[in-house]
Amino acid sequence: MIFEPEIYCSCEKTAELDGNTPLTLDGAGLWVGVLSRGECLLQGSEMSGHSGDILLGTAPLELRPQSDCHLLAVRLIGYCAEAYLLRLGASRWADGASCPGAAELVAQLQGNGTAAMAYALLCALSRADETARPLPPLVAEALQAIRQNYMALYGVEELSEQLGVTKSHLVRAFKQALGVPPGKYLTNVRIEAVKTLLLSDEYNLEMIAGLTGFSGANYLCRVFKREVGVSPAAWRAAAAPPPAVPKLPPRSAEMFV
């Protein structure tokens, strides 16, 4: 088969939360969850999800129900899922109204979901990372600055200077709106950029560090292992597509003695 959709997007795992028992979602890739009942806290975030909200993020995701909850979740892998994570940044709850059809696709993927369904879910989520809840202008401007210039941004101090506010004010406003500080969001964006470049053998770690805003390969390795749980080399090896199976020659080309 010349084109293998699973390389670009497929459903690797499913999970369900039903009741009040905490749930941890793990494994590489993009987790997408639909909260159909109750209120649930995403550990590390000040924002709780409510019925109808969409969970988006990368593992580990620790979910703490604040009431009787029901959530269906799927883990998407592949090049397209990695590209989505690159733009997403920090894990979060998004307003389900911004992505109609996502709930139905998640439910279908709980059964015998296909790669086409997984890709359709990503398309349905195309605007979910831009939550329908309006962001304060300062936070929206900070998000845009991080996404567009993460490879050259020195840190939160430089970002606050560019935006004309104090660092403490930016951190407070950013964390209140998104549940994570801007430094953590910047790191997440850089890590997802690193993952994208690791998918290609053209770049060594020193080159990747320079392209994603890290001061060097050693520092990149330390941050990557802290955030992802494995070294960049191990992640690259696990994400590498399986070797192609050589095709047998056509029977007309076979030789008989």
Side-chain angles (χ1 to χ4, degrees):
M1 187 175 184
I2 297 176
F3 177 70
E4 298 182 16
E6 291 79 7
I7 293 177
Y8 296 91
C9 189
S10 64
C11 178
E12 178 73 3
K13 187 178 181 180
T14 65
E16 182 174 8
L17 187 159
D18 193 2
N20 297 286
T21 304
L23 174 68
T24 298
L25 303 176
D26 54 14
L30 168 68
W31 275 104
V32 180
V34 176
L35 187 62
S36 59
R37 183 181 74 239
E39 179 183 354
C40 190
L41 177 67
L42 175 61
Q43 197 74 9
S45 170
E46 296 180 357
M47 298 176 61
S48 292
H50 299 82
S51 181
D53 282 350
I54 303 289
L55 173 67
L56 298 168
T58 185
L61 298 175
E62 297 183 14
L63 301 172
R64 304 283 178 181
Q66 305 299 292
S67 62
D68 182 50
C69 291
H70 183 257
L71 175 137
L72 291 178
V74 296
R75 179 158 60 87
L76 306 181
I77 60 172
Y79 296 156
C80 294
E82 293 292 342
Y84 189 94
L85 277 171
L86 175 62
R87 295 296 305 274
L88 177 65
S91 302
R92 69 183 72 178
W93 293 102
D95 192 336
S98 64
C99 41
E104 178 62 27
L105 286 165
V106 168
Q108 292 180 18
L109 286 167
Q110 289 282 321
N112 296 320
T114 64
M117 287 181 185
Y119 181 75
L121 175 58
L122 274 184
C123 294
L125 297 170
S126 60
R127 299 193 64 83
D129 63 328
E130 302 170 7
T131 175
R133 302 186 185 107
L135 293 172
L138 173 62
V139 177
E141 191 175 355
L143 279 175
Q144 183 178 13
I146 290 173
R147 290 177 174 177
Q148 293 182 348
N149 198 34
Y150 64 87
M151 69 294 294
L153 198 60
Y154 181 74
V156 179
E157 293 85 356
E158 181 182 355
L159 177 62
S160 61
E161 290 177 3
Q162 291 178 4
L163 299 176
V165 297
T166 64
K167 177 183 175 181
S168 60
H169 178 62
L170 175 61
V171 171
R172 183 169 58 252
F174 201 100
K175 190 171 183 180
Q176 184 176 4
L178 296 177
V180 294
K184 174 67 173 176
Y185 186 92
L186 174 60
T187 297
N188 288 344
V189 170
R190 284 174 170 163
I191 289 296
E192 295 309 320
V194 169
K195 288 179 179 178
T196 299
L197 293 175
L198 284 172
L199 293 172
S200 172
D201 292 332
E202 296 180 16
Y203 305 99
N204 60 38
L205 290 181
E206 200 65 48
M207 294 170 63
I208 291 176
L211 290 170
T212 54
F214 290 96
S215 58
N218 290 337
Y219 181 57
L220 164 61
C221 290
R222 289 200 304 271
V223 175
F224 192 95
K225 188 165 186 179
R226 183 190 72 205
E227 297 295 326
V228 182
V230 297
S231 68
W235 192 94
R236 170 179 263 170
V245 178
K247 294 183 179 180
L248 295 175
R251 294 191 63 85
S252 58
E254 292 178 356
M255 296 182 63
F256 296 89
V257 179

